């Protein structure tokens, strides 16, 4: 992945899938499964928020620029 900006799209898709799976698991009757599903949804949301932070976007933008050495 090497910190390229194109790596953001598959990461976001993976987080969306994790969130959907977490939602489905959280709809079960077992308390343990509900907790696991809710944790998966929280992880997915945190991942999506983090990938759009300005500091992360700066790292992606800096890696895409060609070296001028």
């Amino acid at each position: 992945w090497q910190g390229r900006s194109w790596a953001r799209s598959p990461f976001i898709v993976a987080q969306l899938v994790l969130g959907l799976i977490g939602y489905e698991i959280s709809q079960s009757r077992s308390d343990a499964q509900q907790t696991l599903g809710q944790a998966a949804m929280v992880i997915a949301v945190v991942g999506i928020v983090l990938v759009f932070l300005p500091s992360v976007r700066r790292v992606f933008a800096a890696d895409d620029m060609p070296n001028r050495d």
Side-chain angles (χ1 to χ4, degrees), residues 25-34:
I25 293 173
S26 70
Q27 300 302 309
S28 74
R29 294 182 184 201
S30 168
D31 288 338
Q33 288 179 345
Q34 286 179 350

Side-chain angles (χ1 to χ4, degrees), residues 4-64:
R4 305 280 185 221
S5 63
W6 61 265
R8 193 178 335 168
S9 297
F11 179 79
I12 291 172
V13 170
Q15 297 307 303
L16 290 173
V17 169
L18 177 64
L20 292 172
I21 291 171
Y23 175 76
E24 288 296 321
I25 293 173
S26 70
Q27 300 302 309
S28 74
R29 294 182 184 201
S30 168
D31 288 338
Q33 288 179 345
Q34 286 179 350
T35 303
L36 181 65
Q38 291 167 353
M41 288 189 300
V42 168
I43 291 169
V45 170
V46 168
I48 290 174
V49 168
L50 288 177
V51 82
F52 286 109
L53 286 178
S55 58
V56 174
R57 292 179 57 182
R58 254 184 267 125
V59 169
F60 284 140
D63 285 345
D64 284 342

